[in-house]
Amino acid sequence: MDQFAALKAFVIVGEEGSFVKAGAVLGVATSSVTRQVNNLEEHLGVKLLHRSTRSVTLTDVGEKYLADVSRVLEDLDQANRSVMDTGTGPRGLLRVSAPLEFARVHIAPFLKEFGDLYPDLELELDLSNRVINLAEERIDVAIRVGQIESMSLIARRLAGHRRILCASEGYFKQYGIPEQPQDLKRHNCISFVSKAGGRNWHFERDGERYTVKVKGNMRANNSEILRQSALLGGGLILAPDWLVGCDVTCGQLKQVLADWEVTTNTKNGDVSAVYLPHHRGSQKINAFVDFLKAKYEPTPYWLKNVQGCDLLSSSE
């Protein structure tokens, strides 16, 4: 038995709760993972996992063993990286997942610079608004906007994130300015389509809470389409500051109900980089995350890189 391989297989099965997912992470057949864990249990003479047709869970002994083995493997990985990284920079393939529009505005402008800094890194981007399973799709690091639901992921905050309720001056001249959340019931609110809904907008201020079911003549699953419509006077939008903050600062859009925190069915949260626990300490992941974090720290990060709104020189 290759004990190191068996221990690694057990840790990933325990973290993922699935032999299939562990096989995907390790890049081996499910049967191979099953055999390694079975051999490990036979070698130790204890049962580490409860198996059923629907789930795989840790036994009490397995839970303690997982914690101990995880620390050992992390120490070993760190020792290996310390030796391998001596005199070298990050290298190899880095697979990154990110929301399409966020990546277009706040990642794409930096890719040339990142590539120049780390010429031995090959970057592969998977751009989609869906929340993917990092293990199943072999993603090293994902950029997430909003609250992180999974407790099994390591999350590093990159920047803040909040939603802005806004429309063009032309729209407000024609239809008036809402002064309280209930006023939105008589406005054309163009909203984002998602599985969680999106037509219930939640308002909170000093303990007051309101939910308004908005209506409008258009919905879309692309935030840039909504932004363009709002710029042309198409209606009110509830959009992230990283997308419309610059438009509001430039005066192309006007924010309303600014003293309220506004959300949809999902909380505002932050912009975060997330990755699996066994990738902790990865040099290539740290290089990418540290690079983005440095880019988002000075000034409001959304004040840069939005086409048609050059306020950078006046803000520095």
Side-chain angles (χ1 to χ4, degrees):
M1 178 184 69
D2 183 340
Q3 189 168 10
F4 175 76
L7 290 174
K8 192 168 185 179
F10 163 68
V11 167
I12 297 176
V13 170
E15 290 175 346
E16 297 297 329
S18 167
F19 285 96
V20 174
K21 291 180 180 179
V25 172
L26 294 168
V28 300
T30 303
S31 58
S32 176
V33 178
T34 303
R35 184 173 59 256
Q36 288 173 330
V37 175
N38 287 344
N39 289 341
L40 179 62
E41 288 181 319
E42 185 178 346
H43 173 73
L44 295 172
V46 296
K47 188 174 183 179
L48 300 172
L49 299 168
H50 293 300
R51 300 161 173 83
S52 73
T53 56
R54 293 185 176 182
S55 66
V56 177
T57 58
L58 293 161
T59 64
D60 290 342
V61 173
E63 192 168 341
K64 181 181 184 306
Y65 192 61
L66 176 66
D68 292 339
V69 170
S70 294
R71 286 193 296 270
V72 172
L73 292 181
E74 285 178 15
D75 289 344
L76 180 59
D77 284 343
Q78 182 59 49
N80 289 341
R81 282 192 295 270
S82 297
V83 174
M84 293 171 65
D85 292 346
T86 304
T88 67
R91 61 186 185 273
L93 176 64
L94 178 65
R95 303 192 72 231
V96 178
S97 170
L100 175 60
E101 287 305 320
F102 184 85
R104 179 185 66 82
V105 180
H106 296 295
I107 294 179
F110 305 129
L111 292 179
K112 169 65 166 59
E113 182 181 350
F114 183 76
D116 290 342
L117 282 173
Y118 302 105
D120 295 327
L121 260 183
E122 178 185 353
L123 197 62
E124 180 179 314
L125 296 172
D126 182 331
L127 305 181
S128 170
N129 291 327
R130 65 191 178 94
V131 178
I132 67 171
N133 185 299
L134 274 64
E136 289 181 357
E137 305 202 28
R138 310 290 297 279
I139 294 296
D140 295 305
V141 59
I143 307 304
R144 298 269 170 89
V145 179
Q147 286 195 323
I148 307 301
E149 301 295 336
S150 175
M151 299 298 292
S152 65
L153 297 174
I154 294 175
R156 287 185 58 189
R157 183 183 184 275
L158 297 177
H161 159 69
R162 67 188 298 264
R163 292 178 176 90
I164 294 176
L165 183 61
C166 56
S168 69
E169 287 283 4
Y171 175 85
F172 288 133
K173 284 181 181 179
Q174 186 172 359
Y175 298 103
I177 298 175
E179 296 181 354
Q180 55 186 353
Q182 294 90 331
D183 293 342
L184 294 176
K185 293 179 180 179
R186 60 180 176 82
H187 280 272
N188 191 48
C189 300
I190 52 181
S191 55
F192 190 88
V193 178
S194 70
K195 291 182 179 179
R199 290 205 164 182
N200 287 330
W201 291 359
H202 308 287
F203 296 80
E204 184 171 347
R205 181 186 65 182
D206 299 331
E208 293 182 88
R209 290 179 180 149
Y210 295 98
T211 295
V212 179
K213 187 172 184 178
V214 299
K215 59 183 179 179
N217 61 5
M218 188 186 78
R219 289 186 294 166
N221 65 349
N222 182 282
S223 53
E224 177 60 20
I225 295 296
L226 298 178
R227 171 179 173 263
Q228 292 293 337
S229 181
L231 288 169
L232 295 171
L236 276 154
I237 61 170
L238 181 57
D241 54 4
W242 54 260
L243 183 68
V244 297
C246 195
D247 298 318
V248 171
T249 305
C250 290
Q252 295 175 334
L253 293 174
K254 177 181 176 64
Q255 183 177 9
V256 293
L257 303 180
D259 53 340
W260 293 85
E261 180 182 6
V262 195
T263 66
T264 57
N265 289 341
T266 57
K267 297 294 186 180
N268 282 325
D270 291 314
V271 179
S272 305
V274 300
Y275 48 89
L276 294 167
H278 64 272
H279 283 161
R280 184 187 287 110
S282 166
Q283 191 181 24
K284 59 186 181 181
I285 291 177
N286 285 340
F288 185 72
V289 174
D290 291 345
F291 175 84
L292 288 184
K293 187 170 180 59
K295 290 297 181 185
Y296 299 157
E297 283 177 350
T299 314
Y301 66 101
W302 42 258
L303 201 57
K304 307 176 181 182
N305 305 312
V306 178
Q307 295 179 358
C309 184
D310 183 11
L311 294 178
L312 181 56
S313 59
S314 62
S315 67
E316 294 183 337

